[in-house]
Amino acid sequence: MKIPFTRRKFVKSALTTGATSGVVLSGWCSKVIAALDDPARNEIFSHGVASGDPSHDGVVLWTRVTANGTVTVRWQLALDSNFISILQQGKTTTSEDLDHTVKIEVIDLEPGEVYFYRFTIGEVTSEPGRTRTLPKGPLERLGIAVASCSNYPFGYFNAYEEIASDEEIEFVVHLGDYIYEYGADGWGSYQGSVMGRSHSPAHEIVTLEDYRERHSQYKSDRASRLMHASHPLIPTWDDHESANNPWINGAANHQPDSEGSWLIRRDASLRAFFEWMPVRNQPAGRYKEKLWRHFSFGDLASLVTLETRHTGRSMQVSYGEHLQSISDTAKRNQFLRDVLGDPSRNILSDEMENFLTGSLQRSINQSQTWRLIGNQIPIARTNVPDVANRLEGAITGGFNAAPESHAQLSRLGELDLPLYLDTWDGYPAARERFYDLCRDAGATDLIVLTGDSHAFWANELFSASNQAMGVELGTTGITSPGDFENYGPEGATALDKLVYEHNREVVWTDCTHRGFIKLVLTPESAVAEYIVVDNIHSQQYRSSLLRRMDIIKRNSSLAFG
């Protein structure tokens, strides 16, 4: 049963007019909301402010200005939210070449400190932003929000607002699908048209100008602006920042005959990402696609973000090309061994793997308590249960209209095959190499943070040799719907239950809610709270705690308590 939060929530009137209407807001959120309602400010700074990629002595500050030609933008960093104690300030220029985005890499800051920032052009000042640096030394507590899959047409980003309003959250780890590439007539088109949130531009985005416009649309969302102004972001990409299911030489949603070169499209998407996201620019000579980083939170935790799309991934295997020929158990086993299990198929590049190994070894050498992996796609083994024979009996009265995908799902269940092939399940040899690298570095106590699937997961991970490797916390979509929701609420819930009953590594899953994970770490404990919002079709909503999972150390690995 969902447990409603006791603190009062923002209501639509507070977001649209700045009036509190009796709702008690935090001082910080009240300040930002009031600033968002200034027409002059919104004319120039309509995409808000953001910060990200924190280090122990610095952070990236970001904004975008609506202007023509080359303009000068001033910035300030202060110790207080009223900007009385200005610590650093300066000015920079931006132009059409940068899509009028502004990025400042501030240095010479103190570790573990909160700072406030703002931008000014002419006499107009942006809303204030709040950020912080990574802590050093002994650390008693760390609060992280884990988010993924914010699809604009499917609804309001209310979960972003919930993240913004939570003063226990210090950093936001966004695991990708921050934008989606589809056109207004693509996935989510009906809901987008009903809500007036159709994608812009209306066509599928392919060019640099297209990707810029799509980022612009997402950054204009008020809940997004509130979240970015409240917490620093640690972002990475998944697939939809470029196109659905990419690999190093193409993507499932890229048609070269009509959309041109994949590499030109991919490079355009990555350029727009670096322009519009609060991430550090790559050093000279380093390709944009090599987006992997290591974040160290004092003596408490280490986070390595993976790059699983553009630098090492082999082409995905398609069930459409193989399923009809898998007629019996022997051919199933041959498919698993020779096709999926081909050891030449990769997800991570050699350079990414070397970076991972070095980062984990540093974490071990520094005796940090918790080791986090920022991972885009589910890693736990997740096979399809016997849907054909068990699902109807699990639903009161059965179901009247099975989705078109039901026949394939049933066949996968009959053969006990993986649910998805774009995930690590489609690359089992690469997953074993990942586990081997972690084990050789001394890290069999991983907390893998995962997005992509639009579902909550609590998974316990094991290598092929039955070595416990840690746990996986999978977050649902901010707005993107779960894959089983086309079975209806009861059918989706029943399918979730069948999945975790069928798979050893899946302790629990839920695809029927939208929200995020709040992970709180201390030297003695790790607690994952699965936070949900009850409505994304209106800006009026309630939030609740769907489930809490305690993570306990068990010998040299982790498990759910």
Side-chain angles (χ1 to χ4, degrees), residues 504-541:
R504 173 199 181 190
E505 295 190 14
V506 181
V507 176
W508 170 78
T509 185
D510 175 276
C511 79
T512 63
H513 293 88
R514 310 282 72 79
F516 67 99
I517 292 175
K518 177 180 172 181
L519 176 62
V520 177
L521 304 175
T522 73
E524 295 79 27
S525 65
V527 177
E529 294 183 343
Y530 296 80
I531 310 295
V532 300
V533 295
D534 68 349
N535 187 10
I536 60 172
H537 300 145
S538 165
Q539 289 173 296
Q540 298 184 30
Y541 72 95

Side-chain angles (χ1 to χ4, degrees), residues 34 76 88 126 177-178 258 269 340 380 412 431 462 465 484 523 549 559:
Q76 291 179 319
Q88 293 187 34
S126 71
D177 293 346
Y178 182 93
S258 59
S269 73
L340 285 191
L412 295 179
R431 179 170 53 200
F462 298 88
S465 61
F484 298 154
M549 300 295 291

Side-chain angles (χ1 to χ4, degrees), residues 204 206 243-244 247 249-266 315:
E204 181 179 325
V206 176
N244 184 49
W247 55 292
N249 289 320
N253 192 29
H254 179 75
Q255 293 73 44
D257 290 346
S258 59
E259 294 170 336
S261 163
W262 164 246
L263 292 182
I264 290 176
R265 179 180 183 179
R266 186 204 66 182
M315 187 176 182

Side-chain angles (χ1 to χ4, degrees), residues 65 93 122 131 134 152 169 194-195 197 253 279 308 338 352 355 377 413 426 428 432 440 472 487 503 517:
V65 298
T93 60
T131 190
L134 299 180
Y152 193 88
I169 291 171
V194 169
M195 297 181 61
R197 283 176 69 91
N253 192 29
V279 294
T308 63
D338 298 339
M352 169 77 255
F355 180 84
I377 49 175
E432 289 309 306
D440 292 346
E472 179 177 30
Y487 282 90
N503 290 283
I517 292 175

Side-chain angles (χ1 to χ4, degrees), residues 179-183 200-215 240-244 251 253-272:
I179 66 167
Y180 281 74
E181 83 277 16
Y182 301 117
S200 177
H203 55 266
E204 181 179 325
I205 53 176
V206 176
T207 68
L208 175 60
E209 291 72 21
D210 292 342
Y211 283 101
R212 285 170 165 175
E213 184 174 340
R214 189 61 55 84
H215 274 281
H240 292 290
E241 285 85 354
S242 55
N244 184 49
N253 192 29
H254 179 75
Q255 293 73 44
D257 290 346
S258 59
E259 294 170 336
S261 163
W262 164 246
L263 292 182
I264 290 176
R265 179 180 183 179
R266 186 204 66 182
D267 289 352
S269 73
L270 300 191
R271 176 172 173 177

Side-chain angles (χ1 to χ4, degrees), residues 274-342:
F274 273 89
E275 289 173 344
W276 278 86
M277 298 296 286
V279 294
R280 296 176 189 277
N281 293 322
Q282 298 284 41
R286 182 181 175 89
Y287 294 117
K288 286 183 170 62
E289 58 265 29
K290 297 181 178 182
L291 185 66
W292 46 76
R293 289 101 85 223
H294 179 208
F295 302 88
S296 184
F297 304 89
D299 64 353
L300 187 59
S302 168
L303 167 66
V304 181
T305 60
L306 305 182
E307 200 296 300
T308 63
R309 289 294 179 183
H310 302 302
T311 56
R313 180 186 283 259
S314 303
M315 187 176 182
Q316 295 88 340
V317 172
S318 170
Y319 276 132
E321 297 177 2
H322 295 276
L323 194 56
Q324 285 189 335
S325 64
I326 305 175
S327 56
D328 53 34
T329 300
K331 290 186 177 180
R332 168 198 181 269
N333 293 340
Q334 182 181 19
F335 170 74
L336 292 176
R337 181 185 66 248
D338 298 339
V339 180
L340 285 191
D342 181 350

